[in-house]
Amino acid sequence: MSRSRKIQRREMALPQTGIEPDLISYTEKQLARGHEIQKVLVSLLALDNRTSADVAAGAKKLGMSKRQLFRYLKKYKGNPKVSTILGPGRTGGRGKSRLNPEVETIVQKAIEDIYLGIALSNVNHVYDEIKHECWKLDLKPPSNVTVYNRINNLTARTVVKKKRGKKIARDIFSPLKGETPPTFYPLQRVQIDHTRADIILVDTINRQPI
């Protein structure tokens, strides 16, 4: 490899200069971890003949798998910034996602495909799928509480529409149309609700079902 190509390769491995405006959204702990990973990435990218053993040593130093470090190398090579390593900054605040973007995609897909896509599915089915997909990509899965909260935040109409269909959701949640005729004296208009209720009516003496 020529000297000019070696210099070019080392320059490509160096982090971009200047202050990244989006780093304010990270905590000190996140930034420390990001710079720790960046230091290893820069050293690996600067090697003229990088081997799998070099990557394995770097991964061991960072406490991650070799496959995960390879992914960092690929992303950082295309955009050498700390924010590339850390992903989108956490804005905090109620209702904001705090998950790794890759994990976020897995969570959303599992909720859509399993919880909303399968009539008799429940939160446990969704969480098992999320853990399995995270394991395949060597990612840390979210807690079951996080997944439960995501599902619990779904509107009742959305759940019924996905699990039971648009018509049933419309019948349950859409306002009834029409007008009630005016009345002018007691019992002029009598209505009886025959909707099935989850109760057992008993008599007042023997307490037996009527």
Side-chain angles (χ1 to χ4, degrees), residues 9 44-52 54-55 70 73 77:
R9 185 170 182 176
L44 288 172
L45 289 171
L47 293 175
D48 293 331
N49 298 297
R50 185 175 65 249
T51 66
S52 179
D54 293 327
V55 178
F70 266 122
L73 276 169
K77 184 177 179 180

Side-chain angles (χ1 to χ4, degrees), residues 74-143:
K74 183 178 180 181
K75 291 167 61 178
Y76 187 80
K77 184 177 179 180
N79 189 18
K81 299 195 300 182
V82 176
S83 57
T84 302
I85 299 169
L86 297 175
R90 297 177 178 179
T91 59
R94 195 172 183 85
K96 300 294 184 179
S97 174
R98 295 179 179 273
L99 297 179
N100 176 307
E102 293 177 274
V103 177
E104 178 66 38
T105 299
I106 291 172
V107 170
Q108 294 294 340
K109 189 174 187 304
I111 292 175
E112 184 72 25
D113 293 349
I114 298 178
Y115 188 76
L116 297 177
I118 302 175
L120 298 180
S121 61
N122 56 41
V123 179
N124 291 332
H125 298 145
V126 177
Y127 189 59
D128 287 343
E129 175 68 12
I130 291 171
K131 287 194 298 183
H132 178 68
E133 291 299 317
C134 286
W135 174 81
K136 290 198 301 185
L137 296 176
D138 196 29
L139 296 170
K140 181 180 178 180
S143 68

